Amino acid sequence: MISIRNLKKNYDGEGAVTTALEDISFDITTGEFVAIMGPSGSGKSTLLHILSFLDRPTSGSYAFQGKRMQDLSDEELARIRNEEMGFIFQSFNLLARQTVYENVEIPLIYNANIPPELREARVRAAVAAVGLDDKLYEEAGKLSGVQKQRVAIARALVNQPNVIFADEPTGNLDSASGAQIMEILARLNESGHTIILVTHETYTSEFAKRAIHIKDGRIHSDGPLTRRRTSKSDFIK
Ligand code: ADP
């Protein structure tokens, strides 16, 4: 699904160039649950921005679903991003005054492939998948943090994307709430969703099946995670 080779990213500053990614290569196949890990400043956000088509690499290649990024226009990248990728952020990024229903519906409004009459069923199914059926018409701003993140997961799911990017999804949550979110992501992965998680927290990454550690813009290690956390009591410290 994802194939990157010798990816490099420089940021040009005033008189100085920062190399955020030095030489990154890996493949991610459908159905994987990958944690991209590393300390602050290691290049995680830069890598995520490129993988999710927000930014282009300085050199190297990136193919998503067999399509090479260098062959795609900015318009095509935006369309693929809207229709084939789902996003979950640390800060939830919900519209506080809108209902759960309205928040989850937003990606469908921008998806020309889904006729309006199919939207309601899609929204209800996505909200049911995160167990928030009873909150459908509540204002998002009135929900608890973990409920907001569940709404964000429903919004990420509603277009039935090929991949879900989760950027520090537990960063604003206490550990019990973080565990709930990670259990939902693990469950979605078990049912076939490809998930790419960016985190600097080891306990969050342990829900993934593979960890790619980056350090100073290079891959430090890349391999399977064998120990899956199985219960909440194992997780809550
Ligand atoms: P992480 O997400 O792991 O904290 P980043 O990808 O944000 O790492 O940053 C990697 C490096 O690139 C850092 O040295 C950072 O200062 C630099 N950097 C990130 N974004 C920019 C930018 N827009 N302009 C200049 N330098 C940047």
Side-chain angles (χ1 to χ4, degrees):
M1 165 183 290
I2 279 175
S3 183
I4 63 173
R5 289 291 174 276
N6 308 114
L7 215 64
K8 187 174 171 125
K9 179 69 184 180
N10 290 336
Y11 292 108
D12 291 321
E14 281 167 27
V17 175
T18 307
T19 300
L21 299 176
E22 191 74 61
D23 182 16
I24 304 270
S25 301
F26 58 72
D27 293 330
I28 294 175
T29 56
T30 300
E32 282 203 82
F33 187 173
V34 183
I36 296 175
M37 303 193 66
S40 181
S42 57
K44 301 183 298 296
S45 307
T46 302
L47 181 58
L48 186 72
H49 285 162
I50 294 171
L51 290 177
S52 61
F53 288 168
L54 280 181
D55 205 356
R56 291 180 186 266
T58 305
S59 62
S61 65
Y62 171 26
F64 178 77
Q65 308 262 86
K67 286 170 273 192
R68 296 190 315 164
M69 191 179 187
Q70 65 211 74
D71 298 335
L72 300 168
S73 66
D74 288 349
E75 243 171 37
E76 287 167 319
L77 294 181
R79 187 197 59 74
I80 292 171
R81 185 179 152 83
N82 284 335
E83 296 175 6
E84 300 181 34
M85 299 175 175
F87 296 91
I88 305 162
F89 306 95
Q90 176 172 354
S91 51
F92 320 129
N93 292 12
L94 300 178
L95 299 174
R97 297 277 177 81
Q98 308 285 314
T99 63
V100 167
Y101 187 105
E102 288 165 330
N103 271 281
V104 174
E105 190 183 28
I106 292 167
L108 295 173
I109 296 170
Y110 293 98
N111 187 342
N113 299 321
I114 313 283
E117 63 271 22
L118 294 186
R119 285 182 195 157
E120 182 171 348
R122 284 287 197 104
V123 171
R124 287 181 179 278
V127 172
V130 298
L132 280 181
D133 317 54
D134 57 332
K135 305 278 186 224
L136 207 52
Y137 300 109
E138 296 220 3
E139 269 185 33
K142 294 192 174 147
L143 301 176
S144 69
V146 67
Q147 288 171 336
K148 285 178 185 158
Q149 199 58 305
R150 282 155 69 185
V151 175
I153 294 174
R155 184 184 55 189
L157 284 173
V158 78
N159 268 332
Q160 299 174 355
N162 292 317
V163 59
I164 295 173
F165 292 100
D167 189 2
E168 304 274 5
T170 61
N172 276 333
L173 301 173
D174 61 63
S175 59
S177 301
Q180 274 189 40
I181 294 304
M182 293 314 299
E183 281 168 8
I184 292 173
L185 293 180
R187 190 159 45 75
L188 291 172
N189 174 249
E190 294 300 330
S191 66
H193 289 276
T194 309
I195 299 177
I196 300 178
L197 165 74
V198 169
T199 183
H200 64 272
E201 296 169 333
T202 305
Y203 72 97
T204 309
S205 73
E206 287 174 356
F207 286 80
K209 292 177 179 159
R210 171 183 170 194
I212 300 174
H213 286 262
I214 52 176
K215 201 179 164 192
D216 299 330
R218 293 179 185 275
I219 292 183
H220 185 62
S221 65
D222 179 358
L225 287 171
T226 45
R227 184 168 163 269
R228 292 293 296 272
R229 290 184 184 266
T230 50
S231 72
K232 251 184 220 172
S233 57
D234 185 28
F235 179 90
I236 299 167
K237 288 167 285 188

Coordinates of all heavy atoms in Angstrom, one line a residue, residues 71-139:
D71 N 4.1 11.8 -9.7 CA 3.3 11.8 -10.9 C 1.9 12.5 -10.7 O 1.1 12.6 -11.6 CB 3.0 10.4 -11.4 CG 4.3 9.7 -11.8 OD1 5.3 10.4 -12.1 OD2 4.3 8.4 -11.8
L72 N 1.6 12.9 -9.4 CA 0.3 13.4 -9.1 C 0.3 14.9 -8.9 O 1.3 15.4 -8.2 CB -0.2 12.7 -7.8 CG -0.4 11.1 -7.9 CD1 -0.6 10.5 -6.5 CD2 -1.5 10.7 -8.8
S73 N -0.7 15.5 -9.4 CA -0.8 17.0 -9.2 C -1.3 17.2 -7.7 O -1.8 16.3 -7.0 CB -1.9 17.6 -10.1 OG -3.2 17.0 -9.8
D74 N -1.2 18.5 -7.3 CA -1.7 18.8 -5.9 C -3.2 18.5 -5.8 O -3.6 18.1 -4.7 CB -1.4 20.3 -5.6 CG 0.1 20.6 -5.4 OD1 0.9 19.6 -5.3 OD2 0.5 21.7 -5.4
E75 N -3.9 18.8 -6.9 CA -5.3 18.5 -6.8 C -5.6 17.0 -6.6 O -6.5 16.6 -5.9 CB -6.0 18.9 -8.2 CG -7.0 20.0 -8.1 CD -7.4 20.5 -9.4 OE1 -7.5 19.7 -10.4 OE2 -7.6 21.7 -9.5
E76 N -4.9 16.1 -7.4 CA -5.0 14.7 -7.2 C -4.6 14.2 -5.8 O -5.3 13.4 -5.2 CB -4.2 13.9 -8.3 CG -4.8 14.1 -9.7 CD -3.8 13.6 -10.8 OE1 -2.6 13.9 -10.7 OE2 -4.3 12.9 -11.7
L77 N -3.6 14.8 -5.3 CA -3.2 14.5 -3.9 C -4.3 14.8 -2.9 O -4.6 14.1 -2.0 CB -1.9 15.2 -3.5 CG -0.6 14.8 -4.3 CD1 0.6 15.6 -3.8 CD2 -0.3 13.3 -4.2
A78 N -4.9 16.0 -3.1 CA -6.0 16.4 -2.2 C -7.2 15.5 -2.3 O -7.8 15.1 -1.2 CB -6.4 17.9 -2.5
R79 N -7.5 15.0 -3.5 CA -8.6 14.1 -3.6 C -8.3 12.8 -2.9 O -9.2 12.3 -2.2 CB -8.9 13.9 -5.1 CG -10.2 13.1 -5.3 CD -10.3 12.5 -6.7 NE -9.2 11.6 -7.1 CZ -9.1 10.4 -6.6 NH1 -10.0 9.9 -5.7 NH2 -8.0 9.6 -6.9
I80 N -7.1 12.2 -3.2 CA -6.8 11.0 -2.5 C -6.8 11.1 -1.0 O -7.3 10.3 -0.3 CB -5.4 10.5 -3.1 CG1 -5.5 10.1 -4.5 CG2 -4.9 9.3 -2.2 CD1 -4.2 9.8 -5.2
R81 N -6.3 12.2 -0.6 CA -6.2 12.5 0.9 C -7.6 12.5 1.5 O -7.9 11.9 2.5 CB -5.5 13.8 1.1 CG -5.3 14.2 2.5 CD -4.6 15.5 2.6 NE -4.9 16.2 3.9 CZ -4.3 15.9 5.0 NH1 -3.4 15.0 5.1 NH2 -4.8 16.5 6.1
N82 N -8.6 13.2 0.8 CA -9.9 13.3 1.3 C -10.7 11.9 1.2 O -11.4 11.6 2.1 CB -10.7 14.3 0.5 CG -10.4 15.7 0.9 OD1 -9.9 15.9 2.0 ND2 -10.6 16.6 0.0
E83 N -10.5 11.2 0.2 CA -11.3 10.0 -0.1 C -10.7 8.7 0.4 O -11.4 7.8 0.7 CB -11.6 9.9 -1.6 CG -12.4 11.0 -2.1 CD -12.6 11.0 -3.6 OE1 -12.2 10.0 -4.2 OE2 -13.2 12.0 -4.1
E84 N -9.4 8.7 0.5 CA -8.7 7.4 0.8 C -7.9 7.3 2.1 O -7.4 6.3 2.5 CB -7.8 7.0 -0.4 CG -8.6 6.8 -1.7 CD -7.7 6.4 -2.8 OE1 -6.8 5.6 -2.6 OE2 -8.0 6.8 -4.0
M85 N -7.9 8.5 2.8 CA -7.1 8.5 4.1 C -8.0 9.1 5.2 O -8.8 10.0 4.9 CB -5.9 9.4 3.9 CG -4.9 9.0 2.9 SD -3.6 10.2 2.7 CE -2.5 9.4 1.5
G86 N -7.9 8.5 6.4 CA -8.6 9.0 7.5 C -7.6 9.5 8.5 O -6.5 9.0 8.6
F87 N -8.0 10.5 9.3 CA -7.1 11.2 10.2 C -7.6 11.4 11.6 O -8.8 11.7 11.8 CB -6.7 12.6 9.7 CG -6.0 12.6 8.4 CD1 -6.7 12.6 7.2 CD2 -4.6 12.4 8.4 CE1 -6.1 12.5 6.0 CE2 -4.0 12.3 7.1 CZ -4.7 12.3 5.9
I88 N -6.8 11.1 12.6 CA -7.1 11.3 14.0 C -5.9 12.1 14.6 O -4.8 11.8 14.4 CB -7.2 10.0 14.8 CG1 -8.2 9.1 14.1 CG2 -7.6 10.2 16.2 CD1 -8.1 7.6 14.5
F89 N -6.3 13.2 15.3 CA -5.2 14.1 15.8 C -5.2 14.1 17.3 O -6.3 13.9 18.0 CB -5.5 15.5 15.3 CG -5.6 15.6 13.8 CD1 -6.9 15.6 13.2 CD2 -4.5 15.7 13.0 CE1 -7.0 15.7 11.8 CE2 -4.6 15.8 11.6 CZ -5.8 15.8 11.0
Q90 N -4.1 14.6 17.9 CA -4.0 14.7 19.3 C -5.1 15.7 19.9 O -5.7 15.4 20.9 CB -2.6 15.3 19.6 CG -2.4 15.6 21.1 CD -0.9 16.0 21.4 OE1 -0.1 15.9 20.5 NE2 -0.7 16.4 22.6
S91 N -5.4 16.8 19.1 CA -6.3 17.8 19.6 C -7.7 17.6 19.1 O -8.5 18.5 19.1 CB -5.7 19.2 19.2 OG -5.5 19.1 17.8
F92 N -8.0 16.4 18.6 CA -9.4 16.0 18.2 C -9.8 16.7 16.9 O -10.4 16.1 16.0 CB -10.4 16.2 19.3 CG -10.0 15.7 20.7 CD1 -10.1 16.6 21.8 CD2 -9.3 14.5 20.9 CE1 -9.7 16.2 23.0 CE2 -8.9 14.1 22.2 CZ -9.1 15.0 23.2
N93 N -9.6 18.1 16.8 CA -10.0 18.9 15.7 C -11.5 18.7 15.3 O -11.8 18.6 14.1 CB -9.1 18.5 14.5 CG -7.7 19.0 14.6 OD1 -7.3 19.3 15.7 ND2 -6.9 19.0 13.6
L94 N -12.4 18.8 16.3 CA -13.8 18.7 16.0 C -14.3 20.2 16.0 O -13.7 21.1 16.6 CB -14.5 18.0 17.1 CG -14.1 16.5 17.3 CD1 -14.9 15.9 18.5 CD2 -14.3 15.7 16.0
L95 N -15.5 20.3 15.4 CA -16.2 21.6 15.4 C -17.1 21.6 16.6 O -18.1 20.8 16.7 CB -17.0 21.8 14.1 CG -16.2 21.8 12.8 CD1 -17.1 21.9 11.6 CD2 -15.2 23.0 12.8
A96 N -16.7 22.4 17.7 CA -17.3 22.3 19.0 C -18.8 22.5 19.0 O -19.6 21.9 19.8 CB -16.6 23.2 20.0
R97 N -19.3 23.4 18.2 CA -20.7 23.8 18.2 C -21.6 22.9 17.3 O -22.8 23.0 17.3 CB -20.8 25.3 17.7 CG -20.2 26.3 18.5 CD -21.1 26.7 19.7 NE -20.5 27.6 20.6 CZ -20.4 28.9 20.4 NH1 -20.9 29.4 19.3 NH2 -19.9 29.7 21.3
Q98 N -20.9 22.0 16.6 CA -21.7 21.1 15.7 C -21.9 19.8 16.5 O -21.2 19.5 17.4 CB -20.9 20.8 14.4 CG -20.4 22.0 13.7 CD -21.5 22.7 12.9 OE1 -22.3 22.1 12.2 NE2 -21.6 24.0 13.0
T99 N -23.0 19.1 16.0 CA -23.3 17.8 16.7 C -22.3 16.8 16.3 O -21.5 16.9 15.3 CB -24.7 17.3 16.3 OG1 -24.7 17.1 14.9 CG2 -25.8 18.4 16.7
V100 N -22.3 15.6 17.0 CA -21.5 14.5 16.6 C -21.8 14.1 15.2 O -20.9 13.9 14.3 CB -21.8 13.3 17.6 CG1 -21.3 12.0 17.1 CG2 -21.3 13.6 19.0
Y101 N -23.1 14.1 14.8 CA -23.6 13.7 13.5 C -22.9 14.6 12.5 O -22.3 14.2 11.5 CB -25.1 13.8 13.4 CG -25.7 13.3 12.1 CD1 -26.3 12.1 12.0 CD2 -25.6 14.1 10.9 CE1 -26.8 11.6 10.8 CE2 -26.1 13.6 9.7 CZ -26.7 12.4 9.7 OH -27.2 11.9 8.5
E102 N -23.0 15.9 12.7 CA -22.5 16.9 11.7 C -21.0 16.8 11.6 O -20.4 16.9 10.5 CB -22.9 18.3 12.2 CG -24.3 18.6 12.0 CD -24.8 19.8 12.7 OE1 -24.3 20.2 13.8 OE2 -25.8 20.4 12.2
N103 N -20.3 16.5 12.7 CA -18.8 16.4 12.6 C -18.4 15.2 11.8 O -17.5 15.2 10.9 CB -18.2 16.3 14.0 CG -17.9 17.6 14.6 OD1 -16.8 18.2 14.3 ND2 -18.7 18.1 15.5
V104 N -19.1 14.1 12.0 CA -18.8 12.8 11.3 C -19.1 12.9 9.8 O -18.5 12.3 9.0 CB -19.4 11.6 12.0 CG1 -19.2 10.3 11.3 CG2 -18.9 11.5 13.5
E105 N -20.2 13.7 9.5 CA -20.6 13.8 8.1 C -19.7 14.6 7.2 O -19.6 14.4 6.0 CB -22.0 14.5 8.1 CG -22.7 14.5 6.8 CD -24.0 15.2 6.8 OE1 -24.1 16.2 7.6 OE2 -24.9 14.9 6.0
I106 N -18.8 15.4 7.8 CA -18.0 16.4 7.0 C -17.2 15.7 5.9 O -17.3 16.2 4.8 CB -17.1 17.2 8.0 CG1 -18.0 18.2 8.8 CG2 -16.1 18.0 7.1 CD1 -17.2 18.8 10.0
P107 N -16.4 14.6 6.2 CA -15.6 14.1 5.1 C -16.5 13.6 3.9 O -16.1 13.5 2.8 CB -14.9 12.9 5.7 CG -14.9 13.2 7.2 CD -16.2 13.9 7.4
L108 N -17.8 13.2 4.2 CA -18.7 12.7 3.2 C -19.1 13.8 2.2 O -19.3 13.6 1.0 CB -19.9 12.0 3.8 CG -19.7 10.8 4.6 CD1 -21.0 10.4 5.3 CD2 -19.2 9.6 3.7
I109 N -19.2 15.0 2.8 CA -19.7 16.2 2.0 C -18.6 16.5 0.9 O -18.9 17.0 -0.1 CB -19.9 17.4 2.9 CG1 -21.1 17.0 3.9 CG2 -20.2 18.6 2.2 CD1 -21.3 18.0 5.0
Y110 N -17.4 16.2 1.3 CA -16.3 16.5 0.3 C -15.9 15.3 -0.6 O -15.0 15.3 -1.3 CB -15.0 16.9 1.1 CG -15.2 18.2 1.8 CD1 -15.5 18.3 3.1 CD2 -15.1 19.4 1.0 CE1 -15.7 19.6 3.7 CE2 -15.3 20.7 1.6 CZ -15.6 20.7 3.0 OH -15.8 21.9 3.5
N111 N -16.7 14.2 -0.4 CA -16.4 13.0 -1.2 C -17.5 12.8 -2.3 O -18.6 12.5 -2.1 CB -16.4 11.8 -0.3 CG -16.0 10.5 -1.0 OD1 -16.0 10.5 -2.3 ND2 -15.6 9.5 -0.3
A112 N -17.0 13.2 -3.5 CA -18.0 13.2 -4.7 C -18.5 11.8 -5.0 O -19.5 11.6 -5.7 CB -17.3 13.8 -5.9
N113 N -17.9 10.7 -4.5 CA -18.3 9.4 -4.8 C -19.5 8.9 -4.0 O -20.0 7.8 -4.3 CB -17.1 8.4 -4.6 CG -15.9 8.7 -5.4 OD1 -16.1 9.1 -6.6 ND2 -14.7 8.6 -4.9
I114 N -19.8 9.6 -2.9 CA -20.9 9.2 -2.0 C -22.1 10.1 -2.3 O -22.1 11.2 -1.9 CB -20.4 9.2 -0.5 CG1 -19.1 8.6 -0.3 CG2 -21.5 8.6 0.4 CD1 -19.0 7.1 -0.3
P115 N -23.2 9.5 -2.8 CA -24.3 10.4 -3.0 C -24.9 10.8 -1.7 O -24.9 10.0 -0.7 CB -25.3 9.5 -3.8 CG -24.7 8.1 -3.9 CD -23.3 8.2 -3.3
P116 N -25.5 12.0 -1.6 CA -26.0 12.5 -0.4 C -27.0 11.6 0.3 O -27.0 11.5 1.6 CB -26.7 13.8 -0.8 CG -26.0 14.3 -2.0 CD -25.6 13.0 -2.7
E117 N -27.8 10.8 -0.4 CA -28.8 10.0 0.2 C -28.1 8.8 1.0 O -28.8 8.2 1.8 CB -29.9 9.5 -0.7 CG -29.3 8.6 -1.9 CD -28.9 9.4 -3.1 OE1 -28.6 10.7 -3.0 OE2 -28.9 8.9 -4.2
L118 N -26.9 8.5 0.7 CA -26.2 7.5 1.4 C -25.5 7.9 2.7 O -24.9 7.2 3.5 CB -25.2 6.8 0.5 CG -25.7 6.0 -0.7 CD1 -24.6 5.2 -1.4 CD2 -26.8 5.0 -0.2
R119 N -25.4 9.3 2.9 CA -24.6 9.8 4.0 C -25.1 9.4 5.3 O -24.3 9.0 6.2 CB -24.6 11.3 3.9 CG -23.7 11.9 2.8 CD -23.7 13.4 2.8 NE -23.2 14.0 1.6 CZ -23.5 15.2 1.1 NH1 -24.3 16.0 1.8 NH2 -22.9 15.6 0.0
E120 N -26.4 9.4 5.5 CA -26.9 9.2 6.9 C -26.5 7.8 7.4 O -26.1 7.6 8.5 CB -28.4 9.4 7.0 CG -28.9 9.1 8.4 CD -30.4 9.5 8.6 OE1 -31.0 10.2 7.7 OE2 -30.9 9.1 9.7
A121 N -26.7 6.8 6.5 CA -26.4 5.4 6.9 C -24.9 5.3 7.2 O -24.5 4.6 8.1 CB -26.7 4.4 5.8
R122 N -24.0 6.0 6.4 CA -22.6 6.0 6.6 C -22.3 6.6 8.0 O -21.4 6.0 8.8 CB -21.9 6.8 5.6 CG -21.8 6.0 4.2 CD -20.7 4.9 4.3 NE -20.3 4.5 3.0 CZ -19.2 4.8 2.4 NH1 -18.3 5.5 3.0 NH2 -18.9 4.4 1.2
V123 N -22.9 7.7 8.3 CA -22.6 8.4 9.6 C -23.0 7.5 10.7 O -22.3 7.3 11.7 CB -23.3 9.8 9.7 CG1 -23.2 10.3 11.1 CG2 -22.8 10.7 8.6
R124 N -24.2 6.9 10.6 CA -24.7 6.1 11.7 C -23.8 4.9 12.0 O -23.5 4.5 13.1 CB -26.2 5.7 11.5 CG -27.1 6.8 11.7 CD -28.6 6.4 11.4 NE -29.5 7.5 11.6 CZ -29.9 7.9 12.8 NH1 -29.6 7.3 13.9 NH2 -30.7 9.0 12.9
A125 N -23.4 4.3 10.9 CA -22.5 3.1 11.0 C -21.2 3.4 11.7 O -20.7 2.7 12.5 CB -22.3 2.4 9.6
A126 N -20.6 4.6 11.3 CA -19.3 5.0 11.8 C -19.4 5.3 13.3 O -18.6 5.0 14.1 CB -18.7 6.2 11.0
V127 N -20.5 6.0 13.7 CA -20.7 6.4 15.1 C -21.0 5.1 15.9 O -20.5 5.0 17.0 CB -21.9 7.4 15.2 CG1 -22.2 7.7 16.7 CG2 -21.4 8.8 14.5
A128 N -21.7 4.2 15.3 CA -22.0 2.9 16.0 C -20.7 2.2 16.3 O -20.5 1.5 17.3 CB -23.0 2.1 15.2
A129 N -19.8 2.2 15.3 CA -18.5 1.5 15.4 C -17.7 2.0 16.6 O -16.8 1.3 17.1 CB -17.7 1.6 14.1
V130 N -17.9 3.2 17.1 CA -17.1 3.7 18.2 C -18.0 3.8 19.5 O -17.7 4.4 20.5 CB -16.5 5.1 17.9 CG1 -15.5 5.0 16.8 CG2 -17.5 6.2 17.6
G131 N -19.3 3.2 19.4 CA -20.1 3.1 20.5 C -20.7 4.4 21.0 O -21.0 4.6 22.2
L132 N -21.0 5.4 20.1 CA -21.5 6.6 20.6 C -22.9 6.9 20.0 O -23.4 8.1 19.9 CB -20.6 7.8 20.1 CG -19.4 8.0 21.0 CD1 -18.6 9.2 20.5 CD2 -19.7 8.3 22.5
D133 N -23.7 5.9 19.7 CA -25.0 6.0 19.1 C -25.9 6.9 19.9 O -26.6 7.7 19.4 CB -25.7 4.6 19.0 CG -24.8 3.5 18.6 OD1 -23.7 3.3 19.2 OD2 -25.2 2.8 17.6
D134 N -25.7 6.9 21.2 CA -26.6 7.7 22.1 C -26.2 9.1 22.2 O -26.9 9.9 22.8 CB -26.7 7.1 23.5 CG -25.3 7.0 24.1 OD1 -24.3 6.8 23.4 OD2 -25.2 7.0 25.4
K135 N -25.1 9.5 21.5 CA -24.7 10.9 21.6 C -24.8 11.6 20.2 O -24.3 12.7 20.0 CB -23.2 11.0 22.0 CG -22.9 10.3 23.3 CD -23.2 11.2 24.5 CE -22.7 10.5 25.8 NZ -23.7 10.7 26.8
L136 N -25.5 11.0 19.3 CA -25.5 11.4 17.9 C -25.8 12.9 17.7 O -25.2 13.6 16.9 CB -26.5 10.5 17.1 CG -26.3 10.3 15.6 CD1 -24.9 9.9 15.3 CD2 -27.3 9.3 15.1
Y137 N -26.8 13.4 18.5 CA -27.2 14.8 18.3 C -26.7 15.7 19.4 O -27.2 16.8 19.6 CB -28.7 14.8 18.2 CG -29.2 14.0 17.0 CD1 -29.8 12.8 17.1 CD2 -28.8 14.4 15.7 CE1 -30.1 12.0 16.0 CE2 -29.1 13.7 14.6 CZ -29.8 12.5 14.7 OH -30.1 11.7 13.6
E138 N -25.7 15.3 20.2 CA -25.1 16.1 21.2 C -24.0 17.0 20.5 O -23.4 16.6 19.5 CB -24.4 15.3 22.3 CG -25.4 14.5 23.0 CD -25.2 14.5 24.5 OE1 -24.2 15.1 25.0 OE2 -26.0 13.8 25.2
E139 N -23.8 18.2 21.1 CA -22.8 19.1 20.6 C -21.4 18.5 21.0 O -21.2 18.1 22.1 CB -22.9 20.5 21.3 CG -23.7 21.4 20.5 CD -23.7 22.8 21.1 OE1 -22.6 23.2 21.7 OE2 -24.7 23.5 21.1

